[in-house]
Amino acid sequence: SRMPPARNPADALYDAARKGAAPELEALLSAHPELIDAGGVIQRTPLSEACYMGHVEAVRVLLEHGARTDLQDSLGQTALFLA
């Protein structure tokens, strides 16, 4: 059987933030700390997406890994605005 293609780590991080998958976020950020503030849809960061979706544990993980709270998406919204 064929293996599915490997996922882009930035997309996986964004998806984990949107789903509130804190353990997955921990693993992804340990392997790819440079992606902490990667912009996804409308340049929204993983922290902004987790805030928007109300995933408190995911927000905690992202903040512990140094996610910036001041970055704006393409609509000018920050994570704090979306929380």
Side-chain angles (χ1 to χ4, degrees):
S1 71
R2 293 183 60 207
M3 295 290 294
R7 293 189 65 203
N8 174 321
D11 290 344
L13 182 68
Y14 190 78
D15 289 346
R18 183 172 50 247
K19 294 184 300 188
E24 188 177 346
L25 285 171
E26 285 278 8
L28 285 163
L29 290 169
S30 292
H32 302 282
E34 73 282 2
L35 296 178
I36 187 67
D37 293 317
V41 177
I42 67 168
Q43 292 304 305
R44 189 170 282 170
T45 65
L47 177 62
S48 291
E49 190 63 18
C51 285
Y52 180 72
M53 299 302 289
H55 296 307
V56 176
E57 186 64 15
V59 168
R60 183 191 63 75
V61 168
L62 290 160
L63 289 172
E64 286 178 353
H65 281 269
R68 290 180 54 189
T69 60
D70 61 330
L71 297 176
Q72 295 181 351
D73 63 20
S74 62
L75 302 176
Q77 299 171 331
T78 64
L80 296 176
F81 178 83
L82 295 167

